[in-house]
Amino acid sequence: MDPAYARVRAFRDEVDRAAGRLEAGDTVEIADIVGRLRRACASVEPDDLGADGAMIRAQFDAMFERLEPLAAAHAGPVAADSLGLPGDARFLRDMATYLTRRFGLEEDEG
């Protein structure tokens, strides 16, 4: 398997898992979600996302700028349907779908 493909797939899988945790309607720890997504973003090398890399990273940076203050203010579990988190779930679900289609990832890998 191509290393770039594997990194993008792992990134997509973590984005998909984060969306699923937020969509589940239970409680979540924002700091945990942010940490996992930051690590997933960092594991993707600059060229892995091609010409779309800057746009994808900018969108995640904007999400992190919104979520990090929330994580600091709400250190424990919070309801996944509060604090604007449903909007983050939609963003993450849309991004997982985009990555799947754009990079030819298999649907059932995530």
Side-chain angles (χ1 to χ4, degrees), residues 2 20 31 52-53:
D2 176 56
D52 296 341

Side-chain angles (χ1 to χ4, degrees), residues 2-78:
D2 176 56
Y5 179 92
R7 287 187 296 269
V8 172
R9 187 181 74 189
F11 175 52
R12 185 277 316 261
D13 291 349
E14 187 56 46
V15 170
D16 188 59
R17 277 190 290 277
R21 285 193 300 272
L22 291 171
E23 292 168 342
D26 202 4
T27 60
V28 296
E29 291 194 25
I30 299 170
D32 179 56
I33 289 173
V34 169
R36 289 173 179 266
L37 288 171
R38 277 213 175 271
R39 286 188 295 279
C41 285
S43 71
V44 177
E45 294 185 8
D47 293 341
D48 290 350
L49 299 172
D52 296 341
M55 177 268 304
I56 292 168
R57 290 181 193 282
Q59 289 181 347
F60 274 93
D61 286 344
M63 185 188 71
F64 294 142
E65 285 180 25
R66 191 188 92 68
L67 288 179
E68 286 174 340
L70 286 176
H74 304 278
V78 298

Side-chain angles (χ1 to χ4, degrees), residues 57-110:
R57 290 181 193 282
Q59 289 181 347
F60 274 93
D61 286 344
M63 185 188 71
F64 294 142
E65 285 180 25
R66 191 188 92 68
L67 288 179
E68 286 174 340
L70 286 176
H74 304 278
V78 298
D81 63 353
S82 67
L83 303 173
L85 296 174
D88 297 303
R90 282 188 300 279
F91 164 74
L92 293 168
R93 181 64 61 210
D94 289 347
M95 184 58 74
T97 300
Y98 174 78
L99 292 167
T100 299
R101 292 180 182 157
R102 172 66 177 88
F103 297 98
L105 304 175
E106 295 295 321
E107 292 284 341
D108 60 347
E109 289 177 313

